[in-house]
Amino acid sequence: MVTRIPFVALLALVAGVAGCAMEERVILLPEANGAPTSLAVHQGSHDVVLDRPYAATDLTISDPFPYQATPAEVQTTFGDALAAQPARAAHFTLYFNEASDDLTQESRAELDHMLADVAKRPVRDIVIVGHTDAVGTDQYNDALAKKRAERVKAMLVERGIAAGDIDAIGRGKRDLLVPTPDGIAEPKNRRVEIVVR
Amino acid sequence: MLRPIFAILLAFVVAAANAADIGQIKVSKGAVTIERAGQQIPGAVGTHVQASDVVRTGGDGSVGITMTDDSLLSAGPNSVLALDRYDFDDVTSRGQFDASLAKGSLAVVSGRLAKQSPDAMKIRTPSAVLGVRGTEFVVRVGDGH
């Protein structure tokens, strides 16, 4: 007679082995704007690519085990981690009048948008990078770019943002938004780019 | 006599100031600590993080960090998250960001590094390496379901 291992014993064995390993799971989430997304998962000699929303893989046992997760599973297991997610960084660009550190008329409205965003954040970390167009020497444009960044910083400080939370730097004409030959006046290059985190 | 000691102290202070801030804690709830060069630092809101920091949360803890490449890492209770390596060139958006989750739960929104080049951002778990090509995902390492 063939010895039969009771099914229950087998189950217990499998559960025992699984119990030794750390449970590991990865779930790909949808992009905020519905764009395509993917995540490459490499485990030992196995590679799995997750490439649709809620595609998931369980890595607890040696082979990745793909499955389709649900928003409910994400909320149950990752609710605390997701609740602690900081606000996304916001990017703003302000433009300047030629050879000047005065904002253009339109950019004054954008400055107000930026201030509204800054006001919503409990801890701020703001980086202001000044740029110029390609008219003038490097030395002149480095100084002008820095002056533009410092001017915007001063506007923020005036409105109650701590100076220590703001970095203002100038990049002169090294990083043109619209590439032009040297000496060309281009309004879109006369700007500061601001990241609010 | 005091001069060499002063010079050493000064060198130490300069080194500490030069250690680059790579991100900032934006959200902190319950017990959150940062382990940096053997020291325990409270992980309060506003604290800057550095490469090689290990961020831990307690049973009631959670933490949210924004990196300088705009990526967001947030961890739930009982998590151990190591910021193993971080190089980010703000001009070119190139570099490398490696972090690892030894245990707990982690939500990730990748930033400029991953956008600039696939696999510039990697998250490790005890058994796997995740190469970030999209933006948002969650990872759990725990002792059973």
Side-chain angles (χ1 to χ4, degrees):
Chain A
M1 181 148 177
V2 181
T3 314
R4 294 181 59 182
I5 302 166
F7 182 65
V8 176
L10 256 181
L11 260 188
L13 183 71
V14 170
V17 170
C20 292
M22 291 284 257
E23 175 229 346
E24 288 186 36
R25 268 185 287 166
V26 182
I27 305 171
L28 184 65
L29 298 182
E31 297 290 287
N33 55 4
T37 179
S38 79
L39 184 70
V41 181
H42 177 80
Q43 185 187 30
S45 56
H46 299 276
D47 285 291
V48 177
V49 175
L50 309 179
D51 59 3
R52 58 186 194 285
Y54 299 104
T57 185
D58 193 313
L59 304 161
T60 304
I61 306 176
S62 60
D63 291 350
F65 177 75
Y67 70 103
Q68 185 69 22
T70 61
E73 178 187 342
V74 171
Q75 199 45 50
T76 304
T77 311
F78 298 97
D80 290 323
L82 288 166
Q85 200 163 70
R88 276 154 218 257
H91 294 248
F92 301 89
T93 305
L94 304 177
Y95 296 94
F96 291 80
N97 294 324
E98 188 162 14
S100 149
D101 64 347
D102 292 329
L103 290 177
T104 62
Q105 193 63 45
E106 308 82 69
S107 283
R108 282 180 212 158
E110 182 69 355
L111 178 70
D112 290 338
H113 286 145
M114 182 179 74
L115 287 165
D117 180 281
V118 170
K120 280 188 286 187
R121 295 171 193 260
V123 216
R124 293 89 177 230
D125 173 16
I126 300 168
V127 182
I128 305 174
V129 182
H131 301 273
T132 66
D133 67 18
V135 177
T137 62
D138 275 333
Q139 200 185 2
Y140 168 78
N141 282 309
D142 285 348
L144 179 57
K146 175 80 173 159
K147 202 171 157 197
R148 284 174 173 164
E150 290 292 349
R151 180 77 187 274
V152 173
K153 176 174 176 172
M155 291 175 194
L156 294 178
V157 171
E158 225 168 75
R159 287 163 172 84
I161 316 293
D165 293 346
I166 311 171
D167 267 337
I169 55 174
R171 250 180 226 147
K173 59 176 176 179
R174 283 173 200 82
D175 202 0
L176 303 175
L177 183 66
V178 179
T180 69
D182 204 43
I184 299 298
E186 169 54 62
K188 285 206 155 52
N189 288 333
R190 300 195 282 264
R191 71 204 193 277
V192 299
E193 293 176 355
I194 302 149
V195 187
V196 182
R197 295 188 198 97
Chain B
M1 190 61 206
L2 271 174
R3 206 175 260 182
I5 297 168
F6 183 72
I8 290 164
L9 266 177
L10 188 70
F12 184 76
V13 168
V14 170
N18 281 347
D21 290 333
I22 62 172
Q24 189 182 35
I25 294 182
K26 300 289 190 183
V27 178
S28 180
K29 235 180 90 184
V32 178
T33 55
I34 301 172
E35 194 183 301
R36 180 179 299 160
Q39 305 280 315
Q40 301 290 329
I41 302 164
V45 167
T47 307
H48 288 273
V49 295
Q50 300 177 358
S52 303
D53 281 356
V54 178
V55 183
R56 292 170 195 272
T57 60
D60 62 343
S62 60
V63 65
I65 303 168
T66 302
M67 306 299 288
T68 55
D69 82 326
D70 298 349
S71 53
L72 312 177
L73 300 181
S74 56
N78 296 313
S79 297
V80 179
L81 171 69
L83 308 174
D84 301 311
R85 177 179 169 196
Y86 190 86
D87 296 311
F88 173 58
D89 182 327
D90 191 47
V91 178
T92 62
S93 295
R94 290 188 185 281
Q96 185 71 41
F97 182 16
D98 297 341
S100 49
L101 183 71
K103 67 173 191 142
S105 54
L106 174 70
V108 178
V109 177
S110 66
R112 287 170 56 193
L113 279 165
K115 198 169 186 181
Q116 175 65 35
S117 49
D119 300 327
M121 182 179 188
K122 287 200 165 67
I123 305 282
R124 283 164 215 279
T125 69
S127 80
V129 183
L130 316 177
V132 182
R133 291 164 192 183
T135 310
E136 300 192 37
F137 58 96
V138 286
V139 188
R140 162 140 178 99
V141 177
D143 310 307
H145 288 262

